[in-house]
Amino acid sequence: MPFRSGFVAIIGRPNVGKSTLVNRLVGSKVSIVSPKPQTTRHRILGVRTDEETQVIYIDTPGVQERADNAMNRIMNRTARTAAYDVDCAVVVITVDGWGHEDHLALAAARASRAPLVLAVNKIDRFARHDALLPLIEQSVHEGPFDEIVPVSARTGLQVDVLERVVRARLPAHPPYFDADLATDRSDSFFAGELVREQLFRTLGAEVPYACAVEIEQFAHTANGLLRIQAVIWIEREGQKGIVIGKDGHTLKEVGRRARLEMQEIFGAKVFLGLWVRVREGWADDTRALSRLGYWEGGA
Ligand SMILES: Nc1nc2c(ncn2[C@@H]2O[C@H](COP(=O)(O)OP(=O)(O)OP(=O)(O)O)[C@@H](O)[C@H]2O)c(=O)[nH]1
Ligand SMILES: [Mg+2]
């Protein structure tokens, strides 16, 4: 049997569980997850390799309607263009069914002209699986899909079925990446993401969207310590108090949780320094977006 390798785009509206699913499929955490929509801002590759196959999953920002600033326009374009030139496109919806943004996501996936698979996620929320039948039936008409696979990214239920379905659609091709590589992103990038993940999980409804994280230092010291200095950019002076919290408590907690996870993922003791700085309107400023690594040319 020739070796198979190919790219699989994971496309869906915000919050359907794309990143949770990619982490599950890859077998390690390559992309951050939070209960808030629009957590993922980049195209992130997650790679899974065995003796016969290398699957390259592409996690994407959620396809959504908001286009109110350059950041949202970039995220939308990143999601849509991620489906170009893939070998398979997986559209993710949830057991809540089809909404307007799910249809936008489907249209983006269709543009890829690759085989289309539908993953219906969060089935752990249904005690009885026959409750899913009307949604599956509706989804057949929304398609056509090559396959429809109900899954739970959170518990892992049926994720192996989805994996087999996408693997069967990959062409004979030598591996694109080294067998031990899990992602195309650097540890330094991921460190910034882990801080952002805690901001999304800790702060209230609005402020996480005004936050970006820039890593200023990522260095292994002589005594085996990993020294990470990060700046949290916010859009307005008034947001500073919210991010820092009473007596610095919020920022301390964000730092503590991010540091614990970094230690586990990087396998080293971590010193994490966090600063909060205001950069007025960074989310609509193409120069700032470029510096923060969001700008991929043209909004
Ligand atoms: N109950 C349940 N919750 C899930 C499942 N998969 C993901 N979630 C939750 O759904 C929320 C969103 O998950 P993400 O993986 O961040 O979703 P996403 O589609 O990547 O979201 P964006 O990056 O914002 O587009 C988190 O709270 C997850 O824990 C699942 O199978 N079951
Ligand atoms: Mg995500």
Side-chain angles (χ1 to χ4, degrees):
M1 273 264 285
F3 197 87
R4 289 167 182 259
S5 184
F7 290 80
V8 178
I10 310 292
I11 311 279
R13 70 168 166 81
N15 211 236
V16 290
K18 298 177 296 300
S19 301
T20 310
L21 185 60
V22 167
N23 291 339
R24 181 66 75 172
L25 286 160
V26 170
S28 63
K29 182 165 177 173
V30 296
S31 194
I32 61 167
V33 166
S34 96
K36 296 192 176 74
Q38 295 183 280
T39 301
T40 304
R41 292 178 180 168
H42 298 84
R43 171 184 188 270
I44 293 171
L45 302 189
V47 186
R48 174 93 181 225
T49 310
D50 63 25
E51 289 77 34
E52 297 154 3
T53 323
Q54 179 172 79
V55 196
I56 302 141
Y57 297 101
I58 308 174
D59 189 16
T60 58
V63 175
Q64 35 111 16
E65 272 191 307
R66 282 178 60 178
D68 48 340
N69 62 28
M71 171 80 169
N72 279 324
R73 290 193 291 276
I74 290 172
M75 283 166 62
N76 242 329
R77 208 195 35 240
T78 303
R80 289 167 198 277
T81 55
Y84 295 173
D85 281 333
V86 293
D87 300 291
C88 178
V90 178
V91 177
V92 185
I93 64 167
T94 75
V95 291
D96 297 323
W98 289 87
H100 178 56
E101 288 181 328
D102 297 302
H103 286 114
L104 295 179
L106 173 59
R110 264 209 187 106
S112 75
R113 297 173 189 280
L116 276 189
V117 172
L118 180 70
V120 181
N121 191 28
K122 309 198 183 184
I123 57 169
D124 54 289
R125 295 208 338 235
F126 278 173
R128 289 179 35 169
H129 284 177
D130 55 358
L132 266 175
L133 288 178
L135 176 57
I136 303 286
E137 203 161 299
Q138 184 197 346
S139 300
V140 170
H141 299 293
E142 299 284 353
F145 295 102
D146 275 29
E147 302 264 0
I148 298 176
V149 189
V151 296
S152 170
R154 182 178 278 177
T155 67
L157 192 66
Q158 296 236 96
V159 173
D160 58 331
V161 177
L162 179 64
E163 193 190 357
R164 280 199 296 279
V165 162
V166 300
R167 284 164 69 113
R169 278 158 184 79
L170 301 185
H173 195 281
Y176 290 87
F177 295 101
D178 284 350
D180 58 0
L181 195 99
T183 177
D184 63 328
R185 296 287 178 167
S186 65
D187 285 353
S188 157
F189 168 85
F190 199 48
E193 288 290 271
L194 290 171
V195 174
R196 215 163 55 72
E197 179 175 58
Q198 292 309 331
L199 292 168
F200 265 72
R201 291 184 177 189
T202 310
L203 302 175
E206 297 298 326
V207 181
Y209 301 100
C211 293
V213 178
E214 186 177 21
I215 298 294
E216 294 203 321
Q217 189 189 28
F218 188 98
H220 293 273
T221 65
N223 52 4
L225 193 76
L226 186 53
R227 203 179 158 78
I228 302 171
Q229 307 273 12
V231 178
I232 298 168
W233 292 102
I234 50 173
E235 289 200 297
R236 289 192 308 276
E237 193 64 40
Q239 293 158 342
K240 219 175 206 169
I242 299 170
V243 175
I244 293 171
K246 192 168 180 294
D247 300 327
H249 184 80
T250 308
L251 189 62
K252 238 182 246 164
E253 192 54 19
V254 165
R256 190 184 67 83
R257 292 189 198 172
R259 181 173 51 79
L260 288 177
E261 202 160 357
M262 287 171 186
Q263 292 190 157
E264 188 158 328
I265 290 172
F266 302 138
K269 197 161 165 47
V270 170
F271 170 86
L272 175 63
L274 291 180
W275 278 265
V276 181
R277 279 186 215 147
V278 182
R279 174 143 187 173
E280 202 116 347
W282 66 261
D284 209 17
D285 171 348
T286 49
R287 267 185 56 199
L289 286 166
S290 164
R291 173 169 164 185
L292 291 164
Y294 294 119
W295 184 246
E296 292 168 21

